Amino acid sequence: MDSSLVRKMEKAKDYAAQEGRVVLMNCQATFRGDNSDHEISYESGEWSCNCYYFTSRGECSHTMAMQLMLSDMVKEAIAN
């Protein structure tokens, strides 16, 4: 293996271990729920989900789970 590639792999491991190194700005995902799959997104600090609970309440277990999984990578919108 090329020594340059080995150094890049070591650097990648170091980066991955450093919390706060990456901040997600936007993402889309399919969340496999117990009853069905749900499309969730994160854009400009705001979460969205196509499940009924989110559309009526503005939050749901799917977006809350994603917030927990990505806690150090996403910045929530600041209320004005």
Side-chain angles (χ1 to χ4, degrees):
M1 192 179 306
D2 179 306
S3 64
S4 174
L5 180 57
V6 170
R7 285 194 300 276
K8 293 295 182 189
M9 291 168 68
E10 290 170 353
K11 192 173 187 177
K13 288 179 186 177
D14 288 343
Y15 282 162
Q18 296 174 21
E19 292 182 16
R21 177 68 83 157
V22 175
V23 177
L24 281 174
M25 305 303 289
N26 303 304
C27 73
Q28 293 182 321
T30 299
F31 194 103
R32 293 188 181 125
D34 289 339
N35 300 312
S36 63
D37 290 353
H38 300 286
E39 300 303 316
I40 60 174
S41 65
Y42 175 79
E43 187 167 338
S44 301
E46 299 289 333
W47 287 99
S48 180
C49 181
N50 69 344
C51 76
Y52 176 77
Y53 196 87
F54 188 91
T55 57
S56 65
R57 302 282 181 102
E59 62 184 348
C60 65
S61 58
H62 314 111
T63 57
M64 287 186 245
M66 288 297 291
Q67 289 174 43
L68 291 170
M69 288 186 267
L70 302 173
S71 63
D72 292 331
M73 289 189 211
V74 296
K75 300 287 184 198
E76 296 301 317
I78 299 172
N80 292 329

